[in-house]
Amino acid sequence: MMRPAASPWHRTWAMEGFDDHSVRQTIRLTAGGTRLRIRVSNRYGERPLRIAGVTVGHAAGAAAIRPGSMREVRFDGRASAEVPAGASLASDPVEFTVGSLDRLSVTLYLRDATGPATHHHVAMTTTYRAHGDHRWDTDETAFADTADPLLGAWYYIEGVEVVGGPALLPAIVAFGESTTDGVGSTPNGDDRYPDALAERLIAAGRPRPVLNAGIGGNKLLADSACVGEMGVTRFARDVLDQPGTGTVIVSIGMNDILRPGDQMCGIDRDDVPITLERLVDGHRALIRAAHERGVKMMGGTLLPFGSAPVWTPDADALRREFNRWVRTSGEYDSVVDFERAIDPDGTGSIPAGHHMGDHLHPSPLGYEAMAHAVDLDSL
């Protein structure tokens, strides 16, 4: 989750917030069970978040809900809840049977003005809102308003915990920037690389929860006004504090290399120059923190970006040096070579068809290649 800010790429409702709105959001689960809890975050709110009511149901496409599947979500036995500024809140367990890869729709009714909203700015999933209380609507008629139907955003929902199903191995958390978040994937298509990895595990008869902790534009070593706290700061909260985390796949550092300062967020700032030593020190900090919690770490190499407008010889040389460290240092417990998976011929560029058109972010085909590069035994 991120502090409210104007997205550098698309319009969201983060700054204006909500006032007498029902907000319907779709989430695909990677584990099945018979009960679930919704976690709501007001971490970056300026005032208490007053939730007038929440419902959950099986998504039926766009903003529609499968008839008969709607359930009320309660907090400490009550339909309404108040989340203090800076805090998060988990719901009571809801009796609700879901399967792996089911799509869930969660509707928050926010009667009172929220102020700027804690959110995730690139969901690659459309979020819908309606004026008034429409949390029990199963049809999509009232939910005609979307801020950006392509890139989307999620608001307040921090996570969904599923319990009561078959015993699962510990969760896998994908931690990174836009290539983890899924920029370039199909809107509402759930074909980011963590999605494809979850599907691989299920197909192999080895299902595990796969959580996506990517933030587009995020850096490892510097905070940003519009794309989140630095990776070394948010790692404990977004990864290690998630229930049942067992393995982390790390792919972060490209924005540190490519985007000195925070100019894309309108902040005239120059960061400390990025060197291989600083990047490695940042990754070592993640590894140490994970190992202290008994969590396994898989290091991912950074993708090539030849022909991208941001390409420079110095930036590419640093990326290659960093990838060499990931492959050869032995400091990560295992390695997934995303670079060689997406560019097997070593051209220094993402091949046509495997990038979204900008030579920087993968297409769905590229994300599939990344997911298939992960050695399931190493997880």
Side-chain angles (χ1 to χ4, degrees):
M1 304 298 286
M2 297 159 50
R3 63 176 58 89
S7 170
W9 304 300
H10 68 118
R11 178 176 177 263
T12 73
W13 294 314
M15 294 302 294
E16 64 194 82
F18 305 95
D19 186 359
D20 192 25
H21 285 112
S22 297
V23 184
R24 181 160 290 177
Q25 308 180 68
T26 303
I27 304 158
R28 190 174 79 155
L29 307 176
T30 55
T34 57
R35 299 187 304 281
L36 56 82
R37 299 200 307 168
I38 308 296
R39 295 206 314 271
V40 180
S41 174
N42 191 30
R43 183 174 301 279
Y44 303 109
E46 299 174 347
R47 64 186 78 166
L49 172 65
R50 294 183 175 88
I51 302 172
V54 181
T55 56
V56 62
H58 286 288
I65 306 291
R66 188 190 306 167
S69 72
M70 197 81 82
R71 301 287 185 275
E72 184 175 52
V73 179
R74 301 182 75 85
F75 299 84
D76 197 21
R78 296 186 294 270
S80 61
E82 183 173 296
V83 188
S88 299
L89 182 66
S91 76
D92 301 338
V94 181
E95 297 294 327
F96 193 92
T97 299
V98 292
S100 298
L101 308 183
D102 277 2
R103 287 182 171 88
L104 198 69
S105 278
V106 180
T107 307
L108 309 178
Y109 176 44
L110 307 168
R111 181 188 296 115
D112 301 326
T114 64
T118 299
H119 75 303
H120 183 94
H121 72 142
V122 177
M124 301 307 297
T125 303
T126 307
T127 289
Y128 304 86
R129 73 176 179 182
H131 282 283
D133 184 1
H134 292 276
R135 66 189 131 150
W136 291 103
D137 292 15
T138 58
D139 66 89
E140 60 189 1
T141 305
F143 291 91
D145 194 7
T146 61
D148 184 330
L150 295 180
L151 296 180
W154 281 308
Y155 304 89
Y156 298 120
I157 297 177
E158 186 176 56
V160 177
E161 299 175 17
V162 179
V163 295
L168 292 170
L169 293 170
I172 299 162
V173 182
F175 179 75
E177 46 206 355
S178 56
T179 53
T180 300
D181 205 2
V183 173
S185 62
T186 307
N188 301 303
D190 295 314
D191 52 13
R192 314 160 188 86
Y193 103 72
D195 298 317
L197 176 59
E199 292 170 3
R200 274 193 70 205
L201 288 161
I202 291 168
R206 303 162 70 173
R208 291 177 67 174
V210 180
L211 287 63
N212 191 329
I215 296 179
N218 193 232
K219 292 185 177 184
L220 177 67
L221 299 174
D223 291 340
S224 170
C226 67
V227 288
E229 294 162 286
M230 70 179 86
V232 293
T233 300
R234 73 182 184 89
F235 184 71
R237 180 191 70 227
D238 291 353
V239 177
L240 300 181
D241 291 345
Q242 298 301 314
T245 297
T247 303
V248 186
I249 305 174
V250 178
S251 176
I252 192 168
M254 280 294 286
N255 288 312
D256 299 78
I257 294 172
L258 297 179
R259 304 184 189 280
D262 202 24
Q263 282 76 12
M264 77 177 197
C265 296
I267 307 297
D268 187 12
R269 181 193 80 198
D270 290 326
D271 293 335
V272 177
I274 291 298
T275 62
L276 178 62
E277 181 180 17
R278 292 191 66 227
L279 271 179
V280 167
D281 284 347
H283 279 259
R284 284 173 173 157
L286 304 184
I287 295 169
R288 284 195 301 271
H291 285 171
E292 286 172 2
R293 301 271 197 104
V295 172
K296 190 171 184 177
M297 292 286 277
M298 176 179 283
T301 54
L302 301 178
L303 298 182
F305 62 110
S307 299
V310 291
W311 187 92
T312 67
D314 289 346
D316 195 40
L318 179 53
R319 179 192 66 85
R320 291 173 185 268
E321 289 173 2
F322 173 75
N323 283 353
R324 190 175 303 114
W325 174 80
V326 171
R327 292 185 185 108
T328 63
S329 68
E331 298 198 39
Y332 274 101
D333 298 307
S334 57
V335 172
V336 52
D337 204 333
F338 290 136
E339 179 187 31
R340 289 176 178 166
I342 208 165
D343 178 26
D345 295 330
T347 66
S349 300
I350 300 176
H354 283 69
H355 63 79
M356 64 174 286
D358 64 353
H359 301 273
L360 185 63
H361 296 96
S363 65
L365 197 60
Y367 283 125
E368 184 177 3
M370 290 175 67
H372 278 270
V374 177
D375 177 11
L376 301 187
D377 291 333
S378 294
L379 294 171

